[in-house]
Amino acid sequence: MTLLSWGPRLETILQLALNGLAVGCIYGLVALGFVLIYKATELVNFAQGDLLMLGAFVCYMFVVWYGVTYWVAFALAVAIVGLFGAALDATVLRRVIGQPQFAVVMLTIGLGAMFRSFASITWGSEIYTLPTPFSAQTTRLAGVSMSHEYLSIIVGTVVLCAVLYAFFTYSRVGVAMQAASQNQLAAYYMGIPVKRMFSLIWAISAGVAAIAGVLLAPVSLIDINLGFIGLKAFAAAVLGGFGSIPGALVGGITIGLIELFSGAYLPLGFKDVAAYVILLLVLAIRPQGIFGTVGRKKV
């Protein structure tokens, strides 16, 4: 096979890799929300995907209904959903800490259904398009067409991860949050307001979900079922090792790439199950996931 015959095939592979990386970044961001809450409170929030959906709808509302500029609407959506996450912790979820896991799971599933109903009543069940400053813009490099919407997802994910890393590593609040998540009692005796730290973690997780929703909206459009992406993000968190922040991102990107390549090269129908098949294979070999640890309840 000549180099020329490889040209179009290589371009297709690079195109799929770029798109898969962008989709995987969204999975990774939602999975990151799962992990942050689990590390702090040992709760699994199955409404994380629906917070993503709310973030996309709120941004759409400000941009289309009220004529607010995209970046201001983006910031407002993240702030509103983040505050909503903190309020959710303070009023509802804090009360179930220590209860059986099935009760927590059912509670968050129920909350997700309520969020979808709220979105349906408020914004309707139609499918919406979020206009952005980079809509319908592409850059062609080495034969690969790079949509600015996909590039914005990748760049946004890198920037957000860098900000979160700096926050948790170098800020006093971030270090206090890590201490509260690792040993609540010791953190309390050290004078750290543990409950406030947990609310802040919920706010950050909800804000990250809102960022993912706004970044995803131009690519997948907005409807009340957008939050079901949380199911694949949960699989990404498990694949990476539930409780591992790098694992959430790696798991998300892995599932995004598998999904895109299986959709292109495997028979119809494999796209939606290929990621779960890989997940089962990995868990059969390494039950704790790629970056997970054994015998520790918190990382």
Side-chain angles (χ1 to χ4, degrees):
M1 187 174 290
T2 65
L3 186 61
L4 287 176
S5 64
W6 266 99
R9 184 175 298 181
L10 183 61
E11 290 175 7
T12 302
I13 291 173
L14 291 175
Q15 188 75 62
L16 288 170
L18 179 67
N19 294 349
L21 180 62
V23 173
C25 284
I26 295 296
Y27 292 151
L29 288 179
V30 181
L32 186 61
F34 277 113
V35 170
L36 287 174
I37 292 174
Y38 179 76
K39 280 167 65 70
T41 63
E42 294 191 341
L43 298 180
V44 179
N45 176 27
F46 279 97
Q48 192 68 20
D50 297 293
L51 292 172
L52 173 151
M53 177 267 299
L54 289 179
F57 266 120
V58 171
C59 186
Y60 169 83
M61 179 181 68
F62 280 115
V63 171
V64 177
W65 289 12
Y66 303 124
V68 177
T69 60
Y70 173 77
W71 295 110
V72 174
F74 195 148
L76 287 172
V78 174
I80 290 172
V81 177
L83 289 173
F84 179 66
L88 203 62
D89 168 63
T91 57
V92 179
L93 292 154
R94 191 177 297 169
R95 304 175 189 281
V96 298
I97 292 178
Q99 300 300 317
Q101 278 294 333
F102 72 85
V104 178
V105 168
M106 292 309 299
L107 176 62
T108 55
I109 289 175
L111 286 172
M114 290 174 61
F115 297 162
R116 289 192 294 277
S117 296
F118 171 79
S120 178
I121 294 169
T122 306
W123 294 292
S125 55
E126 293 83 7
I127 298 174
Y128 300 101
T129 303
L130 176 64
T132 70
F134 32 81
S135 294
Q137 295 183 34
T138 58
T139 297
R140 195 162 183 83
L141 182 64
V144 178
S145 178
M146 296 184 290
S147 163
H148 288 194
E149 293 165 341
Y150 282 96
L151 285 177
S152 69
I153 294 175
I154 297 170
V155 173
T157 301
V158 172
V159 171
L160 179 62
C161 289
V163 169
L164 287 176
Y165 174 79
F167 174 75
F168 284 112
T169 305
Y170 300 111
S171 74
R172 289 173 61 88
V173 176
V175 173
M177 290 170 69
Q178 288 197 63
S181 68
Q182 290 172 4
N183 191 320
Q184 297 177 25
L185 189 59
Y188 176 77
Y189 284 127
M190 292 294 292
I192 296 173
V194 175
K195 291 182 179 179
R196 196 181 304 166
M197 291 298 110
F198 285 174
S199 292
L200 191 53
I201 288 172
W202 271 89
I204 291 173
S205 298
V208 170
I211 291 172
V214 176
L215 291 174
L216 178 64
V219 176
S220 71
L221 306 180
I222 308 171
D223 67 3
I224 59 172
N225 295 319
L226 184 63
F228 285 118
I229 197 174
L231 294 175
K232 288 186 178 176
F234 182 74
V238 174
L239 178 64
F242 214 89
S244 167
I245 290 177
L249 296 171
V250 172
I253 291 171
T254 302
I255 286 187
L257 291 172
I258 291 171
E259 191 175 276
L260 267 288
F261 278 98
S262 60
Y265 293 109
L266 294 180
L268 192 65
F270 275 81
K271 178 182 177 182
D272 292 328
V273 300
Y276 295 106
V277 172
I278 299 298
L279 171 64
L280 293 175
L281 290 175
V282 171
L283 293 182
I285 299 170
R286 189 175 168 79
Q288 67 271 32
I290 299 173
F291 289 91
T293 56
V294 180
R296 294 180 62 184
K297 297 179 74 175
K298 295 181 178 179
V299 178

